[in-house]
Amino acid sequence: DGGITQSPKYLFRKEGQNVTLSCEQNLNHDAMYWYRQDPGQGLRLIYYSQIVNDFQKGDIAEGYSVSREKKESFPLTVTSAQKNPTAFYLCASSVLGTGGREQYFGPGTRLTVT
Amino acid sequence: AQTVTQSQPEMSVQEAETVTLSCTYDTSESDYYLFWYKQPPSRQMILVIRQEAYKQQNATENRFSVNFQKAAKSFSLKISDSQLGDAAMYFCAYRRANSGGSNYKLTFGKGTLLTVNP
């Protein structure tokens, strides 16, 4: 089955530690995205990538970093510089080009930092 | 910058009844896409329906339909014959139509939590 996987589902870290969230897709999509979701908020874009070895900052990139070494993978690192890292993180992917290309989402990772 | 507003934080509906969720947006673009996503308790985001701004006809998907009013910048979702499985958080989202760069970005509203009562 084609889809997006995120691991782990729940992640716990101590304050001051960097942590990397995994996102893998086998949909052959060019574009991948990372969103953050907080209670009572919609999703906010952290980073996105349209091609291997290239990515752009979204609306709330501070304290986060990404890499795109393979088309299928787009890991997100939450660094110790992120002031409020506890949140639900969603990865998504889409095709590129014209047309209403919806984004397909993974199941998410709940990160708790104490 | 584009903004999406969902003015109803919570809604409830009786099973088998019809409910309408509201969404308004602000944009200076003439061509764009609008989406409704559903997020059940599992937190998996699921696309419900999509509307192209250049189409006058309202999109429908089985029990789900939209009322797209371009001049009013309104995009409401109607759920007919509501089922217990429709209970979820519903998000309205906007995307610019032109390809390239940040145009692929989705802008989300804050969501409406729908409860379906048996």
Side-chain angles (χ1 to χ4, degrees):
Chain A
D1 286 337
I4 302 174
T5 57
Q6 291 185 243
S7 61
K9 190 172 177 67
Y10 299 97
L11 193 51
F12 299 87
R13 280 293 183 271
K14 294 290 186 185
E15 198 172 318
Q17 293 179 336
N18 291 354
V19 59
T20 298
L21 281 61
S22 167
C23 177
E24 304 275 335
Q25 54 98 0
N26 60 4
L27 300 168
N28 199 33
H29 287 169
D30 290 302
M32 296 186 74
Y33 314 81
W34 273 106
Y35 290 91
R36 170 181 171 138
Q37 185 177 22
D38 294 285
Q41 299 287 328
L43 280 66
R44 292 181 291 168
L45 183 66
I46 304 172
Y47 267 99
Y48 64 99
S49 168
Q50 296 175 311
I51 194 171
V52 173
N53 293 323
D54 188 44
F55 46 83
Q56 286 76 42
K57 293 181 180 180
D59 297 321
I60 55 166
E62 186 175 348
Y64 299 97
S65 65
V66 294
S67 62
R68 187 88 186 274
E69 296 177 1
K70 298 186 299 182
K71 186 176 183 178
E72 303 78 19
S73 178
F74 191 42
L76 173 74
T77 297
V78 184
T79 75
S80 56
Q82 167 51 234
K83 293 189 172 92
N84 295 296
T86 294
F88 187 64
Y89 291 88
L90 283 156
C91 177
S93 70
S94 73
V95 300
L96 292 177
T98 57
R101 307 292 181 175
E102 62 263 32
Q103 293 180 13
Y104 296 83
F105 286 82
T109 293
R110 170 69 183 176
L111 173 65
T112 302
V113 176
T114 58
Chain B
Q2 292 82 20
T3 58
V4 177
T5 302
Q6 293 179 250
S7 59
Q8 307 153 316
E10 297 183 26
M11 292 281 285
S12 64
V13 64
Q14 290 297 124
E15 199 175 0
E17 298 293 309
T18 295
V19 64
T20 299
L21 308 184
S22 301
C23 173
T24 59
Y25 57 93
D26 186 26
T27 183
S28 58
E29 304 287 327
S30 60
D31 201 11
Y32 46 86
Y33 301 96
L34 296 164
F35 306 87
W36 279 99
Y37 279 89
K38 167 186 177 180
Q39 188 179 44
S42 67
R43 305 199 76 171
Q44 174 78 54
M45 292 286 284
I46 303 164
L47 178 67
V48 175
I49 201 164
R50 176 184 67 204
Q51 175 78 42
E52 291 90 341
Y54 66 86
K55 289 186 177 178
Q56 291 188 337
Q57 187 173 7
N58 289 324
T60 62
E61 287 288 342
N62 300 314
R63 297 182 295 106
F64 298 87
S65 61
V66 299
N67 183 5
F68 173 49
Q69 301 289 328
K70 191 172 184 179
K73 296 180 182 174
S74 170
F75 182 59
S76 61
L77 175 70
K78 185 170 84 170
I79 306 174
S80 304
D81 185 25
S82 297
Q83 300 175 359
L84 294 177
D86 294 334
M89 182 73 85
Y90 286 81
F91 291 97
C92 179
Y94 165 99
R95 208 210 86 187
R96 293 170 70 180
N98 295 326
S99 60
S102 64
N103 292 331
Y104 291 103
K105 168 189 165 184
L106 281 176
T107 300
F108 286 87
K110 292 187 177 181
T112 296
L113 181 62
L114 178 66
T115 302
V116 181
N117 300 311

